[in-house]
Amino acid sequence: MKKLSVKLGILFFLIIFGLITFMFFFLHKGIAESRVEEELKALKARGNSHSAILEKHFSIETIDHVVLMESESMTDVIITDKNGNVLGSSSDTASFEKYLRIPSSSISAEGEIVEDNWKDEPYIATISPIEVNGQLAAYVFMFENTASVHSLIQGLNDHFFLAGWISVCLTIIIIIFLSRGITKPLLKMKEATSQISKGQFSVSLPIASNDELGDLAKSIELLATDLNYLKQERNEFLASISHELRTPLTYIKGYADIVQKRKLPDEEREKYLKIIVEETNRLSELIKELFNLAKIDQNSFVIHKECIDLKLFFKKMEQKLSLAFQEKKINFELLCPENTLIQADPLRLEQIILNLLDNSIKYSQAGAKIELKAWKNKKSIHISVLDNGKGIPEKEIPLIFNRFYRVEKSRTRSLGGTGLGLAIVKELVQAHGAEIMVNSQENVGTEIELIFKGELKR
Ligand SMILES: Nc1ncnc2c1ncn2[C@@H]1O[C@H](COP(=O)(O)OP(=O)(O)OP(=O)(O)O)[C@@H](O)[C@H]1O
Ligand SMILES: [Mg+2]
């Protein structure tokens, strides 16, 4: 984690530092050039104004006057005749000689720049012509020591250096805070996940931000609660499974012991053996159903959807169940319009409906009424199994889909239920992308409704 903040910091720093250097380089160059240009312009303007005066009064006195004025200023002047002979100079001409080149072609009245290489030369220089009566009479050379330009640029450099330092320091401070801000919540999340892996699921992460980090924190919390739930569910499941397996095994062992140890009359022996067989069947049924559930859980089980005509489908099931209905004198009614089509796996759908009908038969008195209905809605197909049996107490309704959940343990035990039927039904219904709803009232009856979205027309 620490490494991440260092990496981020260095990366940010290099990028920002590069940008700053790049920007400063161009800014500096631009400012320096325009400053020198201004100096040259000012120098030329000064030369031009001297030449304007001299054009009016071209005499020794005026030349001396101009020279005297310049001797007190930062700049220097040299006035030559048109052949380059010095007429007047504000200081020693020796250091200016190399600039006193008389141009071969005529120069404009605006003057021209003679030397602008401020970096290497000791002076920058301009030239302005003096015309008397329309004839070129003399030249005014203006000079400015580049030392002043250099000190100007030096000052600029100092400013840039200071600004550079300040921005580098600010960048470093900002980067430190920024990378802390990013890595701190990450560190917390790392701690939280290692807590989770140790089995401590009650982690709470302060979700301050609304960004990806906040999302990550939320996901981690969600993961923790999910894991907690799964762990609890697994514990309950294991507890109930061992209970469910133990009970029939105790019966089997008990009766087997009796049959083995005592000399029993044939009739009684037969009775005990029958119980043993029944309990063994129950056990193998239980294990088969558990295996089924495990397959659904793993998603290793595939739904092969087909187009099913519900009316024909239910008719066939009614025939299969007719014996069970007769035994309990059930008054069964099938309400399904012709041509009600559905996309479902026929084997699984049969398993679902059989389970629901089996419950309705099991938890209803003899002579009860059971209805199996199907109807079309705009965008869905509904199937419902309705009975007027014992019903389910309201507060137990949410629990009946749990594995091994039975409303009255003793009652259902005598009926041979395992409490897995509805758990399997729910998984199968969900595998179809459908919904299941329970509507039940104690001592009135139960209706279980399945909703399949999106029907199909043949
Ligand atoms: N139609 C119904 N009327 C009244 N109670 C019901 C009805 N259907 C389910 N129940 C209650 O819900 C419980 C769970 O049903 P489920 O089908 O999961 O288990 P089971 O019928 O006991 O066992 P299995 O179906 O595995 O043989 C039942 O034990 C019963 O108490
Ligand atoms: Mg059942």
Side-chain angles (χ1 to χ4, degrees):
M1 272 315 154
K2 290 255 171 50
K3 279 179 208 146
L4 179 66
S5 68
V6 172
K7 267 191 219 159
L8 272 180
I10 291 177
L11 189 72
F12 277 148
F13 182 77
L14 287 182
I15 290 173
I16 291 175
F17 188 75
L19 276 178
I20 288 178
T21 325
F22 189 71
M23 256 163 47
F24 274 22
F25 176 74
F26 281 101
L27 202 64
H28 185 275
K29 209 175 151 194
I31 292 178
E33 270 169 11
S34 74
R35 283 301 309 178
V36 171
E37 215 167 281
E38 264 168 42
E39 290 293 317
L40 278 167
K41 245 191 215 158
L43 196 65
K44 206 163 71 181
R46 215 175 153 89
N48 286 346
S49 79
H50 290 326
S51 102
I53 292 171
L54 287 168
E55 274 172 5
K56 277 186 187 155
H57 305 281
F58 191 66
S59 63
I60 294 296
E61 289 86 61
T62 328
I63 291 172
D64 283 346
H65 191 74
V66 166
V67 165
L68 186 71
M69 251 166 56
E70 279 304 331
S71 65
E72 290 306 313
S73 76
M74 298 285 290
T75 47
D76 282 304
V77 69
I78 291 181
I79 297 157
T80 65
D81 64 12
K82 60 182 174 183
N83 299 319
N85 301 317
V86 176
L87 301 176
S89 161
S90 65
S91 71
D92 185 19
T93 53
S95 47
F96 302 126
E97 231 143 53
K98 67 172 183 175
Y99 305 110
L100 297 177
R101 295 178 297 250
I102 299 304
S104 47
S105 57
S106 71
I107 43 174
S108 83
E110 297 295 301
E112 268 173 25
I113 292 164
V114 173
E115 184 59 70
D116 64 353
N117 185 1
W118 61 275
K119 274 187 196 148
D120 306 320
E121 295 290 333
Y123 293 97
I124 51 175
T126 64
I127 179 170
S128 310
I130 301 172
E131 283 173 21
V132 178
N133 301 329
Q135 287 288 314
L136 180 71
Y139 292 107
V140 177
F141 285 91
M142 291 296 299
F143 301 92
E144 182 174 343
N145 199 327
T146 50
S148 72
V149 180
H150 277 292
S151 79
L152 198 113
I153 300 297
Q154 187 58 46
L156 196 68
N157 285 350
D158 289 348
H159 279 121
F160 267 71
F161 205 62
L162 187 70
W165 263 115
I166 291 175
S167 32
V168 164
C169 291
L170 276 180
T171 323
I172 290 176
I173 292 172
I174 290 171
I175 285 170
I176 288 174
F177 277 102
L178 207 82
S179 53
R180 278 235 185 111
I182 293 175
T183 48
K184 217 177 179 183
L186 281 179
L187 274 175
K188 279 211 181 112
M189 283 183 231
K190 192 195 129 195
E191 258 167 43
T193 45
S194 64
Q195 255 184 22
I196 293 174
S197 73
K198 278 179 205 143
Q200 261 188 309
F201 297 113
S202 56
V203 294
S204 77
L205 290 163
I207 301 165
S209 52
N210 219 348
D211 50 14
E212 288 86 346
L213 281 177
D215 286 350
L216 186 60
K218 267 183 232 157
S219 310
I220 289 177
E221 279 193 356
L222 196 70
L223 183 74
T225 44
D226 280 359
L227 275 175
N228 195 16
Y229 174 76
L230 278 180
K231 196 183 156 197
Q232 272 175 6
E233 208 193 29
R234 192 191 60 189
N235 287 348
E236 277 167 27
F237 182 68
L238 283 177
S240 39
I241 230 182
S242 62
H243 174 82
E244 292 303 318
L245 292 176
R246 208 173 330 115
T247 337
L249 276 176
T250 344
Y251 279 102
I252 294 171
K253 190 178 178 311
Y255 288 116
D257 274 349
I258 295 173
V259 171
Q260 191 192 31
K261 281 184 193 147
R262 296 196 208 148
K263 287 227 154 45
L264 295 169
D266 271 0
E267 199 183 310
E268 221 170 311
R269 230 176 74 116
E270 205 60 30
K271 197 177 99 190
Y272 291 147
L273 282 178
K274 203 176 149 216
I275 296 175
I276 292 177
V277 171
E278 266 170 21
E279 290 296 316
T280 322
N281 282 342
R282 239 175 77 73
L283 260 184
S284 66
E285 190 65 24
L286 185 81
I287 287 166
K288 205 178 85 194
E289 287 193 352
L290 274 177
F291 190 63
N292 253 333
L293 261 179
K295 267 210 296 204
I296 301 176
D297 268 359
Q298 279 177 1
N299 287 330
S300 62
F301 118 137
V302 201
I303 297 267
H304 297 287
K305 284 193 180 174
E306 283 173 25
C307 186
I308 303 171
D309 185 325
L310 281 180
K311 178 117 193 188
L312 301 177
F313 188 73
F314 289 157
K315 274 266 177 245
K316 258 190 250 163
M317 285 183 63
E318 189 184 0
Q319 278 167 13
K320 269 192 214 169
L321 283 165
S322 60
L323 201 71
F325 290 143
Q326 269 172 29
E327 254 176 27
K328 236 183 158 181
K329 302 200 169 54
I330 298 284
N331 172 10
F332 179 76
E333 208 172 323
L334 176 60
L335 294 167
C336 178
E338 303 277 343
N339 258 332
T340 312
L341 305 178
I342 195 172
Q343 280 279 18
D345 185 326
L347 281 178
R348 302 302 176 188
L349 186 64
E350 181 170 331
Q351 203 180 351
I352 292 169
I353 307 289
L354 273 182
N355 251 305
L356 297 179
L357 287 176
D358 176 59
N359 281 350
S360 285
I361 298 171
K362 249 194 314 199
Y363 307 115
S364 300
Q365 275 85 4
K369 186 177 176 193
I370 297 178
E371 274 178 31
L372 173 58
K373 291 192 288 187
W375 68 93
K376 253 192 269 192
N377 241 347
K378 262 187 199 150
K379 280 187 174 164
S380 52
I381 298 271
H382 297 242
I383 300 174
S384 123
V385 177
L386 187 125
D387 64 57
N388 57 357
K390 296 178 176 175
I392 305 161
E394 198 184 330
K395 63 176 192 305
E396 314 224 15
I397 291 180
L399 305 173
I400 56 170
F401 294 106
N402 290 357
R403 290 162 192 198
F404 297 115
Y405 194 84
R406 293 177 309 221
V407 172
E408 266 177 62
K409 311 276 173 201
S410 57
R411 179 182 86 182
T412 33
R413 164 149 278 279
S414 66
L415 294 168
T418 59
L420 287 174
L422 285 181
I424 294 175
V425 165
K426 191 179 179 189
E427 300 271 2
L428 289 176
V429 168
Q430 281 174 349
H432 276 86
E435 269 177 59
I436 185 161
M437 294 204 306
V438 186
N439 192 353
S440 180
Q441 216 178 334
E442 219 175 349
N443 297 323
V444 175
T446 307
E447 178 179 16
I448 297 199
E449 187 180 333
L450 310 174
I451 304 165
F452 291 80
K453 299 255 157 59
E455 86 279 38
L456 183 117
K457 300 226 160 47
R458 214 178 347 213

